[in-house]
Amino acid sequence: MTTIRELMAQDHRHCDDLFVAVEGAVADGAWDNAATAFSNFRVTMLRHFAVEETMLFTAFEARTGMRMGPTQVMRGEHTQMRELLDAAQEALAEHDAENYSGYAETLLIMVQQHNMKEENVLYPMCDQHLAHQHETLVPQLNGKINPVE
């Protein structure tokens, strides 16, 4: 059976791959391709955040009673990353490679640090505390991060 950590880390890698596609298009000066790739990346990142915030974090908080701990920190980082996504999208729309690169570099560093905290601390805690819900929760999470379209 897939764990929460495995499932959510796999989605992190998927988001990383989408981000790499944006970087390649920007480097080539292919602005239309970059905009499309960024849109795909942004939608996937925002879906990931939403699934965590509305399903995973709430289940963890309900089970543990911890509302001011790691989930609060992750929500705060999600807010910061949403702001960077918006700024990067605006720079792309203006075909401003320099500003885009600055936002993208900051976003990349934040995402890497954020993912490490989730994968090495929060997700294992979720697997431990939500073990009794794995059979239902993991498929629900999977259905939301990998919707059939």
Side-chain angles (χ1 to χ4, degrees):
M1 174 186 229
T2 300
T3 65
I4 292 167
R5 181 178 188 233
E6 290 166 343
L7 175 67
M8 299 306 283
Q10 179 183 9
D11 199 44
H12 285 167
R13 301 297 81 77
H14 177 63
C15 291
D16 293 345
D17 292 343
L18 293 173
F19 196 34
V20 168
V22 179
E23 293 297 302
V26 170
D28 293 342
W31 295 107
D32 289 342
N33 292 346
T36 299
F38 189 84
S39 178
N40 292 337
F41 166 65
R42 187 174 186 276
V43 165
T44 304
M45 286 286 288
L46 294 177
R47 181 179 350 178
H48 182 90
F49 295 162
V51 167
E52 287 181 333
E53 292 171 359
T54 63
M55 295 177 68
L56 183 58
F57 295 176
T58 56
F60 177 80
E61 291 165 348
R63 179 71 176 167
T64 65
M66 284 191 269
R67 287 174 177 75
M68 301 303 286
T71 54
Q72 181 186 31
V73 172
M74 296 300 105
R75 282 187 179 98
E77 291 179 6
H78 288 175
T79 298
Q80 292 174 328
M81 288 186 280
R82 284 183 182 101
E83 291 169 1
L84 287 167
L85 286 166
D86 290 346
Q89 185 174 34
E90 187 175 316
L92 274 179
E94 296 170 357
H95 298 186
D96 186 339
E98 186 175 334
N99 274 341
Y100 172 78
S101 293
Y103 293 125
E105 184 176 340
T106 302
L107 182 60
L108 176 63
I109 292 166
M110 259 200 101
V111 166
Q112 288 174 335
Q113 292 173 347
H114 179 84
N115 290 354
M116 290 292 291
K117 288 182 264 189
E118 285 185 335
E119 292 174 21
N120 294 318
V121 179
L122 183 56
Y123 295 159
M125 289 173 70
C126 288
D127 278 320
Q128 177 186 1
H129 291 286
L130 301 173
H132 68 290
Q133 292 179 257
H134 272 211
E135 286 185 29
T136 56
L137 184 59
V138 171
Q140 289 171 347
L141 292 169
N142 187 44
K144 294 292 185 180
I145 61 173
N146 295 304
V148 177
E149 297 176 23

